[in-house]
Amino acid sequence: VAVITGALLAFMNHITEEPIRIQADKVLSDGIKDVMCDKNVVVGSTDSIVVDNNKRQELFIVYRILDNNNDDDIGVAIESRVMGFGGEMKVLIGFDEKAKILGYTILQSSETPGLGSKADKWFAKGGKGNIIGHDMSDGKPLSVKKDGGTVDAITASTITTRAFLKAVNQAYSVYADYQKREN
């Protein structure tokens, strides 16, 4: 029974592996187009950057984004991971060439339904904690009003808000270092 069950599980894993990968690639591709606010873009290059953060290694994926028509640089999209209230949160943030936030999408989250899960809209244009268009080059990290910042926290979900803003701030730090390296 154990051998048959193991073989069936291995077979099912093999069958579902490719469709899962294809779906994940589509979610990422759509996410990049969303965060760059342009459906006519392509990924010019992808870099993996490892940052030592308090004796912990953190991985960031940086996507250099090009205009599909003329290959001009539009900016970068960066995957940033942080621990939220309910577990790991993976956020994709788009920056233009002048360090303004173009958009974001939450690729993975296990935040509390109805509270922390509001992050997908809360920080968007028109949302109560809008960060879109914020110029990060001023050197001031984003923070909640409770901490002396300018961003409204998600009601009853300050931990998720702080985690989200940490992801954005970390992504900007990687962006700034990446831009220095590229120039």
Side-chain angles (χ1 to χ4, degrees):
V1 172
V3 171
I4 293 171
T5 303
L8 284 172
L9 287 172
F11 178 70
M12 290 306 293
N13 183 53
H14 178 71
I15 289 175
T16 59
E17 189 173 40
E18 184 66 12
I20 289 170
R21 188 194 59 75
I22 290 169
Q23 181 62 27
D25 288 348
K26 182 179 179 343
V27 167
L28 179 61
S29 175
D30 292 347
I32 287 172
K33 291 174 182 178
D34 287 345
V35 301
M36 299 310 289
C37 301
D38 191 342
K39 300 295 182 201
N40 199 24
V41 297
V42 293
V43 175
S45 64
T46 303
D47 290 314
S48 296
I49 297 176
V50 177
V51 175
D52 286 325
N53 191 3
N54 295 328
K55 298 180 182 179
R56 213 175 108 214
Q57 302 238 324
E58 296 185 21
L59 175 68
F60 296 87
I61 310 295
V62 179
Y63 303 95
R64 169 72 54 196
I65 308 300
L66 305 174
D67 184 306
N68 196 25
N69 293 328
N70 54 17
D71 291 336
D72 287 338
D73 272 344
I74 293 180
V76 297
I78 300 176
E79 279 185 35
S80 181
R81 298 167 194 246
V82 294
M83 288 304 291
F85 180 74
E88 186 176 72
M89 179 187 294
K90 184 163 77 169
V91 183
L92 182 68
I93 303 107
F95 297 97
D96 70 9
E97 290 296 313
K98 295 181 180 168
K100 285 190 179 176
I101 298 172
L102 294 173
Y104 73 91
T105 190
I106 298 176
L107 298 174
Q108 174 187 330
S109 175
S110 46
E111 297 304 290
T112 308
L115 294 174
S117 63
K118 291 180 182 179
D120 65 334
K121 303 276 188 266
W122 190 269
F123 305 102
K125 193 169 195 134
K128 291 182 181 179
N130 180 15
I131 63 167
I132 306 304
H134 182 80
D135 185 354
M136 296 293 291
S137 67
D138 64 5
K140 297 177 188 171
L142 292 170
S143 62
V144 295
K145 287 184 178 177
K146 259 186 187 178
D147 299 337
T150 59
V151 180
D152 284 328
I154 299 170
T155 307
S157 203
T158 306
I159 294 171
T160 299
T161 303
R162 286 182 178 130
F164 175 84
L165 295 177
K166 180 180 179 182
V168 173
N169 291 330
Q170 287 178 335
Y172 173 71
S173 179
V174 168
Y175 166 85
D177 290 345
Y178 181 79
Q179 291 297 82
K180 285 178 195 170
R181 225 180 38 198
E182 292 295 306
N183 294 331

